[in-house]
Amino acid sequence: MPGPGGGEFQKARHLIRERGSPAQLCIVARGRIVLNETFGCRPDSLFFLFSASKPLVALLVHKLAERGELALDDCVAAHWPQFGQGGKQDITIRQVLQHRSGLPVVRGMARDAFAMTDWSASVRALEVATPSFPPGSVPAYHVLSYGFILGELVQRVTGAPVREVLQSELLGPLGLRDSYLGLPAGKWHRHVPVAGRGPAELATQLMINRPAVRQAVIPAASVSATAYDLARLYQALLAGGELDGVRVLRPETIRQATSPSSDGEVDRYLNLPVRWSEGFQLGGERAGHTRLGGGSGPMGAQASRTTFGHNGSCVCLGWADPERQVAVAYLTGCLVSRSAGARHMAAVSDAILSEFS
């Protein structure tokens, strides 16, 4: 097993330092932390995960299914009747988990983002929305709708706010004390601002750095965490749902959540062939597509096809490779173009993976 001074870890460190952005990198190999390093920040600095947040709300839904409080093939409207309007009455929970409900955006990306700090407005918009694609027909990445549909479902089934359910069912039992869905006001002094230079990046910076956004409950985007916590979450998934003697999910539930639901299909929103599961992106080549990650995706060209994780706007990334028994979290505050960000993430991932080949 490599130690923290391994040559390729040095290459990963160099790639991260070269960027000049605050960052954290945590690597767990076969249950042991082999690297936990900060770059221009503190070990307890909290990063905005963007879409690397999505697996947490997906895991909550899988946990409710594990307990029999819902079934993945239930229609969403069976638990949330107001959702069943406008051709959405037959959309299933599984289709949402797989990004196949036909609702990648609700009113357009700009309007969805403008309303994302208002839970009630976002939910009402979903209730009256009409699918952009026939439900179940194609994968189309659910940018913000993913979290609001699954989050409202969790609240309808449990009768409790999704933030509280996440804390009581996953974060608390796993001892992840530096992970929050919506940054508490008392932790604001620990947040890492995002920063970029281009027009699109500056607009994102202005939006995301607002306290109203960082503190809002946006399950598809607004988890704030440390790399240590995120890597430990993925280690728990590698270990069949258990961490430090505490079990939060059954191994068969994790197998369900990480089994491919899309393989070779082009995602109709991203215009890329993404390998989706029911809550995660999966490793594996994106043959013929070099726009993001050099044709491999942010988890790297060396990632096994069983690797699962989630990229967050090419700013933050968490993943686990079951074949190598490696879990990684790489969190930054660096906003760049998606193509440049994905290439960087892929390079860091491959530098790490080469230590375990």
Side-chain angles (χ1 to χ4, degrees):
M1 182 188 300
E8 288 302 329
F9 288 166
Q10 295 288 21
K11 181 178 179 181
R13 287 178 171 131
H14 173 73
L15 289 167
I16 295 167
R17 290 193 186 105
E18 196 174 43
R19 264 190 146 193
S21 170
Q24 295 173 349
L25 176 65
C26 187
I27 305 170
V28 184
R30 300 194 179 280
R32 183 170 71 89
I33 295 170
V34 296
L35 183 70
N36 185 27
E37 192 160 334
T38 62
F39 304 81
C41 64
R42 293 167 49 91
D44 65 350
S45 294
L46 298 169
F47 289 79
F48 189 83
L49 298 193
F50 291 89
S51 287
S53 303
K54 285 182 169 73
L56 280 79
V57 70
L59 289 172
L60 281 186
V61 172
H62 281 286
K63 187 168 181 65
L64 294 177
E66 178 183 284
R67 285 208 299 247
E69 296 183 45
L70 56 79
L72 298 186
D73 291 316
D74 287 350
C75 294
V76 175
H79 302 276
W80 174 8
Q82 300 92 327
F83 182 81
Q85 308 174 52
K88 305 191 301 299
Q89 65 277 3
D90 295 327
I91 290 174
T92 66
I93 298 168
R94 193 184 304 277
Q95 287 169 345
V96 179
L97 286 166
Q98 297 176 345
H99 296 276
R100 287 180 177 271
S101 80
L103 291 164
V105 294
V106 180
R107 295 165 297 183
M109 189 58 229
R111 291 183 67 189
D112 285 1
F114 183 77
M116 68 183 175
T117 59
D118 187 329
W119 187 276
S120 296
S122 297
V123 166
R124 286 196 301 271
L126 278 163
E127 289 175 347
V128 300
T130 301
S132 300
F133 305 100
S137 62
V138 295
Y141 180 52
H142 295 21
V143 184
L144 292 168
S145 55
Y146 195 85
F148 287 119
I149 297 172
L150 297 179
E152 181 67 11
L153 181 68
V154 168
Q155 296 188 160
R156 297 267 174 160
V157 171
T158 65
V162 64
R163 173 159 45 188
E164 293 181 10
V165 181
L166 182 62
Q167 177 61 37
S168 65
E169 296 287 353
L170 288 179
L171 302 180
L174 291 174
L176 305 181
R177 298 180 180 87
D178 287 321
S179 299
Y180 308 93
L181 175 51
L183 183 65
K187 307 294 183 184
W188 180 257
H189 66 286
R190 292 168 54 191
H191 89 283
V192 177
V194 297
R197 294 182 179 179
E201 291 75 34
L202 287 171
T204 301
Q205 172 183 323
L206 289 172
M207 174 180 289
I208 298 302
N209 288 337
R210 293 167 49 216
V213 172
R214 298 294 282 259
Q215 295 173 4
V217 175
I218 310 167
S222 72
V223 171
S224 288
T226 61
Y228 175 83
D229 265 21
L230 187 60
R232 294 266 289 165
L233 171 66
Y234 277 98
Q235 172 56 33
L237 300 178
L238 280 181
E242 183 177 337
L243 190 66
D244 295 337
V246 177
R247 176 166 298 283
V248 294
L249 291 162
R250 298 173 187 159
E252 56 267 29
T253 300
I254 296 167
R255 284 194 292 272
Q256 170 72 56
T258 58
S259 294
S261 64
S262 175
D263 198 345
E265 293 175 89
V266 172
D267 184 286
R268 297 292 290 273
Y269 185 83
L270 297 174
N271 195 31
L272 287 168
V274 180
R275 297 187 68 237
W276 290 115
S277 70
E278 294 180 356
F280 297 90
Q281 297 162 335
L282 303 178
E285 291 292 330
R286 294 174 177 175
H289 286 257
T290 59
R291 183 163 62 89
L292 293 182
S296 61
M299 290 182 281
Q302 296 187 49
S304 70
R305 289 175 65 82
T306 59
T307 298
F308 60 91
H310 215 291
N311 170 41
S313 291
C314 299
V315 176
C316 293
L317 177 67
W319 53 263
D321 187 331
E323 295 182 17
R324 297 178 175 92
Q325 284 293 297
V326 175
V328 173
Y330 173 38
L331 310 185
T332 84
C334 187
L335 289 165
V336 294
S337 70
R338 295 295 174 90
S339 57
R343 286 193 297 271
H344 172 78
M345 291 287 176
V348 172
S349 294
D350 279 331
I352 293 166
L353 284 166
S354 64
E355 278 286 351
F356 302 96
S357 299

